[in-house]
Amino acid sequence: MINSLIIFFKKCWPFLITLILWRLSTPFWNPAGILALIPVFFYSFVQPINWFPLFGLLICFLIDYRCALPLFWTIMYCLFYAVNGFQNYVDIPNTEKNALYLFSIFTGFGFLILTFFVLTWSEFINNCWLFIWLNVLYTPIIGLDRWIKK
């Protein structure tokens, strides 16, 4: 009985951590649940899970809804997913550091575009802060996944 619960928890973990990070939104540390982009990226590209891209699309839509952005992260996710599907130069599941650099490109490009939507210093500083915060927390959250899977 316990082993079946552990197996069930391990199977549900990607979906649970994504929902937890999305729900734990605070204005400064996790605005609109933006930290949920970490497991969405990881489980869609680095360690793909069946049916997770649809769930990732839903989470990106929910982040956009909370941010009052008209489908911005959803379109970014779809574009990155399409580019990943058509390219064969970069093997994302076998990149070093769990594809931290590709995640930096994904979020950096998104925040760069968002900076040009509103050209103010406060928006620029906020986007820089979120970019740094997401990339700093990428490794511990993915490390937590490795620990859970053991």
Side-chain angles (χ1 to χ4, degrees), residues 34-55:
I34 196 94
L35 289 179
L37 285 177
I38 295 171
V40 164
F41 180 85
F42 183 74
Y43 295 116
S44 294
F45 302 111
V46 180
Q47 191 177 32
I49 295 174
N50 292 337
W51 297 101
F52 197 84
L54 292 175
F55 183 72

Side-chain angles (χ1 to χ4, degrees), residues 127-143:
N127 287 341
C128 288
W129 156 249
L130 287 175
F131 172 74
I132 292 168
W133 185 239
L134 276 170
N135 288 297
V136 164
L137 288 181
Y138 184 81
T139 303
I141 290 173
I142 300 312

Side-chain angles (χ1 to χ4, degrees), residues 60-109:
C60 288
F61 175 76
L62 292 174
I63 291 171
D64 288 336
Y65 179 74
R66 278 191 176 171
C67 287
L69 294 170
L71 300 176
F72 178 76
W73 287 109
T74 308
I75 292 171
M76 287 293 298
Y77 177 76
C78 289
L79 284 174
F80 202 83
Y81 198 82
V83 167
N84 182 45
F86 287 121
Q87 63 89 23
N88 59 3
Y89 181 71
V90 178
D91 186 19
I92 293 178
N94 296 322
T95 55
E96 60 185 30
K97 298 184 182 180
N98 293 319
L100 174 64
Y101 301 130
L102 292 173
F103 180 71
S104 298
I105 291 170
F106 172 68
T107 57
F109 189 66

